[in-house]
Amino acid sequence: MTVLRKNLIDGEWLGEAGSRNINPSNTNDIVGEYASAGPEQAKQAIAAAKAAFPAWSRSGPLARHAVLKKTSDEIMARKDEIGRSLAREEGKTLAEGVGETIRAAQIFDFFAGETLRLSGEMVPSVRPGVGVEMTREGVGVVGIITPWNFPIAIPAWKVAPALAYGNTIVFKPAELVPESAWTIVDILHRAGLPKGVLNLVMGKGSVVGQAMLDNPDVNAISFTGSVSTGKRVAAASVEHMRKFQLEMGGKNPLVVLDDADLAVAVDCAVNGAYFSTGQRCTASSRLIVADGIHDRFVDAIKERLDKLVIGDALDAKTQIGPVVDQTQLKQDEDYIAIGRQEGAELAFGGDRLERGAPGFYLQPALFVGSTNAMRISREEIFGPVANVIRVKDYDEALAVANDTPFGLTSGICTTSLKHATHFKRNSEAGMVMVNLPTAGVDFHVPFGGRKGSSYGPREQGRYAMEFYTTVKTAYTFAG
């Protein structure tokens, strides 16, 4: 019997079935049925969060610590079960699903610790007898809107700091992957959150998301998703003078210089461009390769791609799972056609694959002979598609790497300390990797980019405080 997962509003599980969660590895497999909230339920959730804010924002650090620590402990204890469910609904491999689940547990553990490290400042005033205190307080009701590509890690790195710093939440996960989101909400609810502090409203973005944008009682919105939707979040937030934080697209470069260790460069490129089926905003979608190593690099990449195992995400042997759904598969295929039309050479892959069950399988694609002016070099594809851009030297590589409307992450493979140091300083990205894949970041340090990739304070680590708190300055005259 198919399980029905309901929305959590003001401490109660509510709603009727509205959508089905389909396994992209096997479209005959129904993961579950999920309630779909309408505008009225979204309004109720916001009202509940508003009502719960005064008490939760003034709760003691031990109360918040207990909830977040219990949540971390349960996620870690159930990592294999939750990771398997994540792989089943999103299509990333079982190993990646478990790894992402562990990361979510680590995030909740980190922010449990942050509740005990809250601090402020006290300084003397320029006026005799006056003391000045600077403290941080929660901003209020936070709307959280998350994407489908990291179904548990991204919700974790938004929900955990929001709760740690005393905010209440209205949470709308992506429709494609509701199970992982429902699971962490269920765990937090059972860990002892007071009613109304965390509200889950699954449903369509055009309905639930819009209701959140239109409501003046939402004091801040943290959004991860497309550039077009991010711009709508920004415009609506300015209308209500609310805080907003945006994580959007990427067209990330991996520079490979002549002096690079070829094996390291190939590992970085294949991992960054193709693992998680290329469905990462940090993916290495532009491989910028110096002339002297270009041919050897391309041959080695093709050899590695030919050996990759593409299959059911739940099969332990699988290295690349399916694309998340039919819409994303079509987008990937459309961009492969565009690349060919623009004159790039499809050197490997790009074909649909048949496996034991019906699913959205795509052979990883590699273009060569591309330029940075092509659409496949300018627009985010969000699939297992990468293109090689040939350059003559480091200076041209840096210029091409920075010639993009995005600026999330970048990477360089080199054995030159001089070039590595210069690249770290001059790459126009929020995160820079040296001899590492562009995808893959730690949970305790800031995440975010520049230009069209990000807006607002960084996510993760202690830097999350900048978004989820507001500063208060208090003066006291002792008399």
Side-chain angles (χ1 to χ4, degrees), residues 19-23 29-34 89 176-179:
S19 65
R20 282 188 164 188
N21 189 354
I22 307 296
N23 179 353
D29 178 28
I30 309 300
V31 178
E33 293 189 356
Y34 300 82
E89 73 169 345
L176 280 176
V177 289
E179 177 64 22

Side-chain angles (χ1 to χ4, degrees), residues 59-370:
S59 62
L62 286 179
R64 299 182 212 169
H65 177 273
V67 170
L68 296 177
K69 190 66 172 69
K70 286 179 183 177
T71 298
S72 172
D73 290 345
E74 181 170 341
I75 293 173
M76 188 64 81
R78 295 172 57 193
K79 64 182 185 301
D80 293 328
E81 169 209 339
I82 296 172
R84 183 177 182 84
S85 178
L86 192 162
R88 185 180 169 207
E89 73 169 345
E90 197 270 349
K92 62 180 58 179
T93 66
L94 187 58
E96 289 173 325
V98 173
E100 183 180 334
T101 303
I102 292 171
R103 180 178 176 182
Q106 292 168 331
I107 291 168
F108 276 104
D109 184 56
F110 177 87
F111 283 105
E114 283 298 277
T115 65
L116 304 178
R117 291 189 286 266
L118 294 174
S119 62
E121 294 180 75
M122 179 175 289
V123 299
S125 170
V126 295
R127 293 167 289 174
V130 175
V132 186
E133 302 168 67
M134 286 79 77
T135 55
R136 288 184 176 272
E137 300 178 352
V139 297
V141 176
V142 177
I144 290 175
I145 302 173
T146 59
W148 51 260
N149 62 326
F150 283 88
I152 197 166
I154 293 179
W157 83 46
K158 294 179 187 292
V159 169
L163 294 175
Y165 299 126
N167 300 282
T168 54
I169 298 170
V170 179
F171 171 32
K172 196 214 91 64
E175 272 193 286
L176 280 176
V177 289
E179 177 64 22
S180 297
W182 185 91
T183 298
I184 62 169
V185 170
D186 174 59
I187 293 172
L188 281 160
H189 178 60
R190 290 185 289 100
L193 275 183
K195 70 175 187 176
V197 171
L198 174 62
N199 302 273
L200 174 68
V201 281
M202 298 178 289
K204 294 184 179 298
S206 59
V207 176
V208 178
Q210 193 62 49
M212 293 165 64
L213 294 182
D214 292 341
N215 197 310
D217 288 333
V218 176
N219 305 110
I221 288 186
S222 181
F223 166 84
T224 299
S226 69
V227 174
S228 59
T229 303
K231 289 180 178 179
R232 288 176 53 204
V233 172
S237 296
V238 169
E239 177 70 21
H240 295 295
M241 297 298 288
R242 69 164 65 99
K243 293 181 77 171
F244 61 96
Q245 177 185 59
L246 309 176
E247 290 295 343
M248 300 173 288
K251 198 65 184 174
N252 309 294
L254 176 68
V255 170
V256 180
L257 297 184
D258 288 339
D259 62 11
D261 181 308
L262 182 60
V264 170
V266 171
D267 284 342
C268 289
V270 172
N271 182 309
Y274 299 108
F275 282 23
S276 294
T277 324
Q279 297 173 152
R280 300 185 282 195
C281 55
T282 53
S284 311
S285 49
R286 292 184 299 145
L287 307 175
I288 302 169
V289 185
D291 187 70
I293 199 174
H294 177 277
D295 293 350
R296 290 184 294 132
F297 175 81
V298 169
D299 287 344
I301 288 283
K302 289 162 61 179
E303 182 179 351
R304 181 70 64 83
L305 292 179
D306 191 49
K307 294 177 181 178
L308 288 177
V309 178
I310 296 101
D312 191 310
L314 299 181
D315 187 334
K317 297 177 182 178
T318 294
Q319 294 171 291
I320 305 289
V323 173
V324 71
D325 71 349
Q326 180 62 43
T327 299
Q328 186 61 47
L329 179 60
K330 183 179 185 305
Q331 177 172 304
D332 295 345
E333 291 181 317
D334 287 348
Y335 271 108
I336 291 170
I338 288 168
R340 283 172 150 169
Q341 292 164 9
E342 290 181 313
E345 175 191 345
L346 185 59
F348 185 90
D351 296 322
R352 287 200 190 195
L353 300 175
E354 297 294 331
R355 291 298 180 257
F360 308 116
Y361 297 103
L362 180 66
Q363 189 179 29
L366 178 71
F367 280 102
V368 298
S370 60

